[in-house]
Amino acid sequence: MKHPVPVPVPVGLDRTFAHELIELGLRVGAEHQDWLLQYLLLLLEANKRINLTSITDPEVAVRLHLVDSLASLPELADAPIGSLLDIGSGGGLPGIPLATVSGRSGVLLDSVAKKVAAVASVLQSLPSPGTTIEVRAERAEEIGASGKARFAAVVARAVAPLPSLVELAAPLLLDGGTLIALKGTPAESEFRSGSKAAKLVGLEESARRQLRLPGGGEARTIVVYRKTHSSSIDLPRRTGLAQNSPLA
């Protein structure tokens, strides 16, 4: 495939990206930074045709999409070797940045076919990021029902409350695999209900980290659950029950 001429990067945007990564202590090579900026700028162009993000300013998008997604790289590095699954990926975030930089193969799930098609089109217009990234218009319950999905890591960013996420992730993870939930500032009650649901479905909270994003100072919490035992209930439940009738 003949790739288009790279999208012009706004002056200083590359330096902003590099500086914010350094502030978070993240090591991301220059080639990966350049590729992710190209992806983001093409995503913002596609956003003019289909709603993929409410953020239109490139500098804000670097912080709230790329840097925010990559903040969980240390947690992903602690997951077993293997591929990752991004639930409710939307514009390919956080799955694409995490897969690209970590070198893991990735599967991105979103139930909105138009979003999936837009993300796939952007990916096809770029050189290979060095790993395999697949985009699917499916729900997590559909993948889990196949009984064949076993991912080393499941990631989700601002998708659903923790009790729903642990239930959706449990049948998708291999033994010892991890769910990495990228959240804002959940109430303590959400952590408690998340832990209760996790025990029912075979997961246990193994790590929790709070941080603030450089530049804007937005508060973030990264919560990690590890699959440690078998679920005490049959999973997946019927589509939508995890969100509409959570276990805790």
Side-chain angles (χ1 to χ4, degrees):
M1 178 185 296
K2 183 178 180 181
H3 299 293
V5 175
V7 179
V9 176
V11 175
L13 192 64
D14 52 349
R15 292 194 297 274
T16 296
F17 186 23
H19 179 72
E20 292 184 355
L21 290 172
I22 291 171
E23 280 197 42
L24 284 184
L26 301 175
R27 299 181 64 181
V28 177
E31 289 187 4
H32 283 147
Q33 290 185 39
D34 292 344
W35 190 94
L36 287 171
L37 282 175
Q38 287 294 307
Y39 176 80
L40 181 67
L41 294 172
L42 288 171
L43 189 73
L44 294 180
E45 282 297 313
N47 193 57
K48 297 174 182 178
R49 302 184 294 276
I50 177 174
N51 183 26
L52 296 166
T53 174
S54 61
I55 300 168
T56 57
D57 179 85
E59 185 167 326
V60 177
V62 162
R63 182 176 77 251
L64 296 185
H65 284 331
L66 297 185
V67 177
D68 192 20
S69 295
L70 292 171
S72 60
L73 273 173
E75 285 75 13
L76 182 60
D78 287 338
I81 295 173
S83 58
L84 67 86
L85 176 74
D86 182 4
I87 296 177
S89 187
L93 306 156
I96 287 175
L98 288 174
T100 299
V101 176
S102 70
R104 295 175 185 255
S105 60
V107 176
L108 317 180
L109 296 185
D110 199 277
S111 60
V112 181
K114 288 184 178 179
K115 290 184 178 182
V116 168
V119 170
S121 178
V122 171
L123 285 173
Q124 289 170 3
S125 70
L126 288 167
S128 169
T131 189
T132 301
I133 300 176
E134 183 181 356
V135 192
R136 299 186 194 174
E138 293 183 72
R139 299 180 67 100
E141 297 94 332
E142 295 170 337
I143 301 293
S146 70
K148 299 178 181 179
R150 289 295 182 267
F151 293 89
V154 170
V155 298
R157 188 179 76 134
V159 172
L162 293 172
S164 302
L165 289 178
V166 295
E167 179 180 343
L168 292 173
L172 302 168
L173 287 168
L174 52 77
D175 291 341
T178 59
L179 163 65
I180 303 169
L182 286 69
K183 307 285 289 183
T185 53
E188 189 58 36
S189 59
E190 184 176 343
F191 291 118
R192 289 196 298 268
S193 57
S195 291
K196 289 179 181 178
K199 290 179 182 178
L200 291 173
V201 300
L203 274 62
E204 291 183 2
E205 183 179 332
S206 60
R208 189 189 305 181
R209 179 165 63 98
Q210 295 179 322
L211 60 99
R212 288 191 176 275
L213 296 180
E218 294 86 355
R220 294 291 186 264
T221 304
I222 301 173
V223 191
V224 181
Y225 297 87
R226 188 173 299 276
K227 187 170 184 178
T228 57
H229 55 285
S230 298
S231 173
S232 63
I233 61 174
D234 290 334
L235 294 176
R237 292 194 290 161
R238 191 172 68 249
T239 298
L241 280 182
Q243 295 91 334
N244 299 323
S245 183
L247 296 171

